[in-house]
Amino acid sequence: MSNQDRDKIGGLGRAAASTLQVHRALMEHPIATSGSLVEKTGITPATVNKALGHLEQLGIVKELTARKRNRLFSYTGCIDIMSRGTELPER
């Protein structure tokens, strides 16, 4: 899955390098704020937010909060994989 996502990101042109850094950080912590991604990557907040926008457009990341500030993002594919087998049994 991550290789497929990297291939999608590679098509972004100049924005690919910073977006790949954000993608790598999200693979380590699949639920993150833009602020935590700034700390993890060392990229400016504006660039991290732009990269998150690209990842959203590519369907890789989903915003969970629907707010202007302190937004929370989820690497949905990674979360789906980690959630498999944790469903409660039906009664």
Side-chain angles (χ1 to χ4, degrees):
M1 174 196 70
S2 66
N3 288 337
Q4 291 173 343
D5 291 344
R6 268 187 247 128
D7 290 342
K8 289 180 191 176
I9 294 166
L12 292 174
R14 288 179 40 185
S18 56
T19 304
L20 281 169
Q21 282 185 276
V22 171
H23 177 256
R24 267 187 240 112
L26 283 165
M27 288 193 319
E28 291 179 27
H29 298 279
I31 296 178
T33 63
S34 58
S36 69
L37 292 168
V38 167
E39 287 179 26
K40 182 84 173 150
T41 62
I43 301 173
T44 66
T47 303
V48 166
N49 285 318
K50 213 165 224 182
L52 286 167
H54 290 303
L55 291 170
E56 266 189 296
Q57 287 177 335
L58 293 171
I60 297 170
V61 168
K62 183 177 182 180
E63 190 204 335
L64 302 175
T65 53
R67 291 188 278 187
K68 295 253 184 216
R69 293 179 178 254
N70 301 318
R71 297 181 301 165
L72 193 61
F73 293 88
S74 169
Y75 185 6
T76 51
C78 193
I79 296 295
D80 290 344
I81 289 170
M82 290 190 303
S83 299
R84 286 184 194 153
T86 62
E87 300 85 9
L88 292 173
E90 292 185 30
R91 293 184 178 212

